[in-house]
Structures are given as C-alpha cells and as structure tokens.
Amino acid sequence: MLKLEKLSFAYGDLKVLWDVDLEVKQGEIVTVVGANGAGKSTILKNVSRLVKPGHGHITFQGHDLRKLASHEVVELGIVQVPEGRRIFPEMTVVENLRMGSFVKSTRKDRERNIERAFTLFPRLKERAKQLGGTMSGGEQQMLAIARGLMANPKLLLLDEPSLGLSPLLVKSIFEIIKEINRQGTTILLVEQNVYQSLRISTRAYVLETGRVVLSGTGAELLDNAHVKKAFLGM
Ligand SMILES: Nc1ncnc2c1ncn2[C@@H]1O[C@H](COP(=O)(O)OP(=O)(O)O)[C@@H](O)[C@H]1O
Ligand SMILES: [Mg+2]
C-alpha cells in the first residue's frame, strides 16, 4: 500500500533520515519505534507532504507522493493525526469532528462518521458540546484521532498518540487503535512507547538517529535482545 525506498531527508544542512526503507501493506498496523529525535515525525511528514520531498521514493497505491501536495495526499486517503493533539480549543467536540470532513467526498458521510466516532469513543459523546480546549489530555487525543477518522482514511498516520497520557489511558488508546484497524483502516504509527506499540503491531521498524536498524513482527521485536536492552530496560 505504502512504500518508502531509500528515503533520505535533511532540514537545511541537518540530515535526519538516511536511506529509510519501509513498507505498509493493506490491513497492517506498522509501527516505527525510536527515541526522541530519531526522525519518526519526519518520516510521517514526508508521507503526508508536510515537508518538501527528500531523496528516494514514496509511493502509495501506485501514486508517487513526492509529486503531490498535502491536500492531494489526503484525497488519496492518507490522513495524519499530528503530534500534540492539535484540536481546535475554542470549538466544541462536535464542531471539531465536523472540521475533520473537509474533503468534499467525505461530507456526505459526516453524520454517520460522527456516530462512528461516538461509538469508538463514548467519552466524546458524553462531552459533545464541551469546548475542545477544556478537555483532558487523553480526551483531546481521542478527539484528534476521531477527527482524523472523519476523512475516511485508508491509511491513518498516528504521531505518538500515547505521549503524556496516564498508563491506564495509554492502554485504552492502544486498544482503540487496534479496533480502528480491525474495522478496516490500515495504520502507520510512530511511538516512543515501545512495549505497548509493539504489542499491537503487525510489523515494526526500529529507528535510531534516522536509520532503520531492525525490523520484524511486533512479537519478534519484543523478544529481540537489542530492543529489550535499548527500549524496555531489560
Ligand atoms: N522543522 C525543523 N527544523 C530543523 N530541525 C528539525 C525540524 N523538525 C525536526 N528537526 C530535527 O530533526 C530531528 C528528527 O526530528 P523528529 O522527526 O521530530 O524526531 P522524532 O519524531 O523521532 O522525535 C531532530 O534532531 C529534530 O531536532
Ligand atoms: Mg516526533
């Protein structure tokens, strides 16, 4: 579905990605795990065209993403939920969700998608009229994901959805990601929470200072000596 081949990227003179090869097949949850500053968000920004294209190839269902603008990438069905849950603080939950169906072709599904979001996140239904900015961190993260789903993504890009959440909420966010995937959305996740994210991953890549140093199934990487030592404190 999505393929990165020898992707390299620099911010000005600062090179941050080196020959990254990565593939996401339809139906998978693929995770890139790595420490702060490893280049995880930069990979997602290359896919969603939020930065100027680096070197290498990025293809999605046969389309060369390097040639497209960010809104065209969204129209192909790739939706990114940015890091830090950038919701609209002065808008209510429902208004935030409505903003998510900005792609014309998804507007007809708007009401159905709001119902779907409320089923996935009952907490949002209870708080439908509350202003986004007054919700807790976990609720804002739920809202950010729910808003992303309003655009009917084929591929959902999630940037550190567990960041800053309590352990209990972290667990439920990963459960919901699994459920979204079960309902048919392919997922590319980037995370520092290595243990929880590998547990739900079909496959995963370990990124260290801009290079993929390991890849395998979630289970294989959880059992890998380097992963255990570097990320799991074992
Ligand atoms: N807009 C930017 N301009 C310059 N350097 C950046 C910018 N964004 C990120 N970086 C740098 O690129 C590297 C990778 O960042 P990032 O992809 O955000 O890592 P991660 O998401 O894994 O924490 C870091 O060294 C970071 O400081
Ligand atoms: Mg990041």
Side-chain angles (χ1 to χ4, degrees), residues 13-172:
D13 291 336
L14 179 69
K15 194 157 180 197
V16 298
L17 295 178
W18 312 74
D19 292 335
V20 171
D21 289 320
L22 181 153
E23 190 177 5
V24 183
K25 297 181 191 127
Q26 180 136 18
E28 288 188 316
I29 299 180
V30 171
T31 304
V32 178
V33 296
N36 200 13
K40 304 182 298 299
S41 298
T42 304
I43 290 180
L44 295 189
K45 286 175 188 163
N46 269 274
V47 174
S48 51
R49 307 286 337 107
L50 296 178
V51 291
K52 278 197 286 182
H55 292 283
H57 299 285
I58 311 177
T59 47
F60 177 73
Q61 296 186 324
H63 300 269
D64 179 358
L65 296 189
R66 300 186 63 223
K67 292 190 179 140
L68 302 183
S70 58
H71 71 273
E72 294 171 317
V73 172
V74 176
E75 280 157 19
L76 284 181
I78 301 179
V79 173
Q80 179 167 359
V81 178
E83 193 174 357
R85 28 189 122 102
R86 277 182 233 127
I87 54 143
F88 301 106
E90 304 296 334
M91 289 186 183
T92 66
V93 167
V94 169
E95 286 164 352
N96 266 280
L97 290 177
R98 286 174 188 280
M99 293 299 286
S101 23
F102 56 91
V103 177
K104 231 180 180 168
S105 62
T106 65
R107 273 184 215 146
K108 60 178 185 346
D109 300 327
R110 187 177 263 166
E111 296 313 312
R112 200 195 68 202
N113 280 343
I114 289 178
E115 281 317 308
R116 179 183 174 217
F118 284 162
T119 309
L120 272 170
F121 301 98
R123 183 84 66 100
L124 295 183
K125 185 169 189 171
E126 291 161 22
R127 286 156 195 268
K129 301 242 164 67
Q130 189 172 327
L131 292 182
T134 65
M135 309 233 293
S136 73
E139 290 161 354
Q140 290 188 24
Q141 184 61 66
M142 291 176 191
L143 180 54
I145 296 173
R147 189 180 60 189
L149 290 174
M150 294 294 291
N152 292 340
K154 291 180 191 149
L155 174 65
L156 186 66
L157 310 178
L158 294 172
D159 194 342
E160 303 216 37
S162 80
L163 197 69
L165 303 187
S166 70
L168 203 64
L169 268 176
V170 168
K171 246 185 127 181
S172 77

